[in-house]
Amino acid sequence: MPQSTEHKYVWRIDLSKTEQYWKGWFQGLSQKFLSCPASKLLLLAGVDRLDKDLTIGQMQGKFEMHVLPKVGHGVHEDSPDKVADVLSHFLVRNKFAQPKGNYRRSLPAC
């Protein structure tokens, strides 16, 4: 079947018109994350956008943080095996799950 160039993806809305709401999506998000009374894991592609609250919280040990190398915005898509490894270690270490089969504990790292 020959491929047609007639079918193109087209944005249904003008995203630039939503810009006024973008800041509100993330305001206070770091404080909400830090104040949650549970074990926390933060997976990042890089620390270049880590805000002051998260930087201080990480240094105080308020959450476990992993920076995954060679990934982009979608860490779970770019490195699914590494995300699964980090997540399984976090779940077992915090007793949310029991290891099964040939589970191999990896060393935590930033």
Side-chain angles (χ1 to χ4, degrees):
M1 179 181 266
Q3 292 198 358
S4 170
T5 58
E6 293 175 25
H7 300 294
K8 295 180 182 179
Y9 291 104
V10 178
W11 285 102
R12 293 179 142 192
I13 63 168
D14 181 357
L15 289 178
S16 65
K17 290 182 179 178
T18 66
E19 185 176 1
Q20 62 183 331
Y21 305 104
W22 297 352
K23 188 175 183 180
W25 292 346
F26 301 104
Q27 271 184 333
L29 190 59
S30 295
Q31 275 301 325
K32 287 178 183 177
F33 173 74
L34 292 169
S35 67
C36 180
S39 300
K40 295 176 277 298
L41 171 65
L42 185 62
L43 296 177
L44 302 169
V47 294
D48 55 325
R49 295 212 161 185
L50 205 61
D51 65 19
K52 181 180 176 182
D53 291 332
L54 288 177
T55 300
I56 293 169
Q58 194 274 332
M59 293 188 331
Q60 293 174 338
K62 292 186 176 181
F63 60 92
E64 183 176 332
M65 182 175 81
H66 289 267
V67 180
L68 303 181
K70 301 178 186 174
V71 299
H73 181 74
V75 294
H76 60 293
E77 293 175 352
D78 295 339
S79 187
D81 292 341
K82 184 62 178 170
V83 169
D85 185 48
V86 170
L87 186 57
S88 64
H89 173 75
F90 176 80
L91 293 172
V92 169
R93 189 170 68 83
N94 288 282
K95 298 181 174 43
F96 293 123
Q98 294 293 321
K100 286 189 173 185
N102 59 352
Y103 174 76
R104 178 185 53 84
R105 290 181 188 246
S106 62
L107 296 175
C110 275

